[in-house]
Amino acid sequence: MALKIERAKKFKFPARVCIWGTEKQGKTHAALALATALAERETPDGEEVLVGVISSEFASSQLLQPRFPHDIVNLAETDENGNLVPKAFSPARYEEAIKLFLQSGYKAIVIDSLSHVWEGEGGILETVSKKGGNSFNDGWGESTPVYKHLINTILAARCHIIVTLRSKEEYKQEEYTKKGGGTGYAPKNVGQAPIIRKGFGYEMHLKLRMDSKVAHVEATAVEDYVPQGEQIENVGPELADRLLKALDGAPLPEPSEQQKEMRTLLNELYATNPATYDRYKNWEQLALRKALEIESVPLPTDYTDEQVELMRIYVEMKKAAKQKLQEAQSA
């Protein structure tokens, strides 16, 4: 397709905010306060304000339920013996939880926390460790596209998403005043960096570090509204208003039913072989051309029912081929 110049247009985007810090610094409280304020402003009068929490923290957000009403998907489920369910914090479970909230019309989602998808049970590092991590064809080659798919799911969601992250521990001696007036020193966990894959902050509109219940703006994509270096003592309605103003614009076009179905089928196709598809940045275009039998003419921006059915047949064929291969390997 020939390149063309178009006038840039500002669309209205849902907020993407990352809040990280050491233990008991107010990450979950800040996330719920911000998510609730954002959801309230997106909810028509008289309707219920819907805030969802995807919890890997053993549903600890429920302690804040009286102040910030929310519904929860608890990833940290345990069996009858008190053991975590297998792969409790796998990317697939996070994605499933996001889709559940989106399908039910939630205006804001808090992921508390996303660090477990990186180093928790069933997370990326565990998967890589089990498969070995010394070349592209090992666990990294398989896990990297799965991680990227989760991040893309978060970015594509049409609702506000607030992510909390745990911190790598690092201690320093901090001076304090004793009751008698003397000076004492005690170790303080100052946090080295958030526990997630390097570069995650690039995907967020705001990156906030919590310290003593105060949010420090570490990085911002909306400098004119929330400047870097600002310290916010009460994360909530005032910050929500500034974010919504910064992210306001023309409404994003609503996808047609055929576009929605095609997106679902492309996701299913990707799941059959993530490592292979991730090697090609234009894999979706290649798959569409193959399935819809389109060679030289531009791909459509919308689809007919017949084209959706052609893609469905193509996906089923790929699924059957994968199952046949797996059966042959296990034989």
Side-chain angles (χ1 to χ4, degrees), residues 88-131:
F89 308 124
S90 66
R93 279 170 60 82
Y94 277 88
E95 288 191 29
E96 182 181 355
I98 291 170
K99 291 173 183 176
L100 280 174
F101 281 130
L102 290 175
Q103 291 166 0
S104 299
Y106 282 71
K107 301 298 184 182
I109 299 173
V110 174
I111 303 179
D112 186 40
S113 74
L114 195 63
S115 291
H116 290 79
V117 84
W118 186 244
E119 67 169 17
E121 172 72 28
I124 299 297
L125 295 185
E126 181 183 271
T127 301
V128 170
S129 176
K130 288 181 177 179
K131 292 181 177 292

Side-chain angles (χ1 to χ4, degrees), residues 33-34 37-38 40-41 234-242:
L34 181 57
L38 289 168
E40 285 175 346
R41 284 146 179 76
N234 296 300
V235 175
E238 193 270 340
L239 178 58
D241 289 337
R242 283 196 279 163

Side-chain angles (χ1 to χ4, degrees), residues 9-311:
K9 188 174 183 179
K10 187 172 184 291
F11 288 101
K12 180 177 181 179
F13 289 103
R16 300 287 180 263
V17 179
C18 163
I19 302 176
W20 74 281
T22 58
E23 72 277 8
K24 307 301 181 288
Q25 296 299 315
K27 297 186 296 296
T28 303
H29 186 283
L32 278 172
L34 181 57
T36 300
L38 289 168
E40 285 175 346
R41 284 146 179 76
E42 301 284 357
T43 304
D45 292 340
E47 292 188 14
E48 182 183 5
V49 176
L50 295 176
V51 175
V53 172
I54 301 170
S55 178
S56 64
E57 303 283 358
F58 295 87
S60 62
S61 68
Q62 293 180 137
L63 295 171
L64 298 170
Q65 174 72 8
R67 185 168 181 180
F68 304 112
H70 61 276
D71 297 322
I72 191 168
V73 172
N74 182 18
L75 299 180
E77 297 175 295
T78 56
D79 59 22
E80 61 276 8
N81 297 316
N83 299 315
L84 276 174
V85 297
K87 299 183 178 180
F89 308 124
S90 66
R93 279 170 60 82
Y94 277 88
E95 288 191 29
E96 182 181 355
I98 291 170
K99 291 173 183 176
L100 280 174
F101 281 130
L102 290 175
Q103 291 166 0
S104 299
Y106 282 71
K107 301 298 184 182
I109 299 173
V110 174
I111 303 179
D112 186 40
S113 74
L114 195 63
S115 291
H116 290 79
V117 84
W118 186 244
E119 67 169 17
E121 172 72 28
I124 299 297
L125 295 185
E126 181 183 271
T127 301
V128 170
S129 176
K130 288 181 177 179
K131 292 181 177 292
N134 298 312
S135 70
F136 179 81
N137 293 322
D138 57 18
W140 285 114
E142 178 180 329
S143 297
T144 294
V146 174
Y147 171 81
K148 288 182 178 178
H149 195 269
L150 169 60
I151 300 305
N152 288 334
T153 298
I154 292 172
L155 298 178
R158 291 202 172 193
C159 76
H160 304 293
I161 294 187
I162 317 299
V163 173
T164 71
L165 295 172
R166 290 185 171 190
S167 169
K168 298 177 183 177
E169 294 188 348
E170 181 177 325
Y171 290 86
K172 72 174 184 179
Q173 291 294 109
E174 186 175 75
E175 183 179 313
Y176 71 96
T177 302
K178 297 180 178 180
K179 289 183 178 180
T183 299
Y185 294 89
K188 178 183 178 181
N189 187 354
V190 295
Q192 187 179 27
I195 297 174
I196 197 67
R197 186 167 185 163
K198 187 178 180 180
F200 175 77
Y202 283 102
E203 317 293 353
M204 301 288 105
H205 296 126
L206 279 182
K207 182 181 179 184
L208 307 176
R209 177 179 59 84
M210 296 301 297
D211 185 16
S212 300
K213 316 298 182 183
V214 176
H216 300 255
V217 181
E218 281 197 336
T220 174
V222 289
E223 178 73 31
D224 291 342
Y225 299 86
V226 188
Q228 186 171 346
E230 180 181 355
Q231 296 183 23
I232 305 172
E233 293 189 4
N234 296 300
V235 175
E238 193 270 340
L239 178 58
D241 289 337
R242 283 196 279 163
L243 263 178
L244 290 175
K245 188 175 181 180
L247 299 173
D248 197 15
L252 287 168
E254 287 294 328
S256 67
E257 291 303 315
Q258 290 80 5
Q259 286 173 322
K260 291 178 184 178
E261 185 62 24
M262 191 66 81
R263 169 48 51 198
T264 298
L265 291 169
L266 284 169
N267 287 340
E268 291 179 8
L269 178 62
Y270 179 89
T272 62
N273 201 336
T276 296
Y277 288 120
D278 197 59
R279 296 176 189 175
Y280 303 93
K281 291 185 177 180
N282 64 334
W283 74 267
E284 290 190 0
Q285 289 79 7
L286 295 173
L288 284 166
R289 289 191 180 280
K290 184 73 173 180
L292 307 184
E293 300 178 352
I294 297 175
E295 294 184 2
S296 58
V297 296
L299 288 168
T301 56
D302 202 351
Y303 308 98
T304 65
D305 290 335
E306 290 76 13
Q307 288 173 326
V308 171
E309 188 58 31
L310 284 173
M311 177 57 76

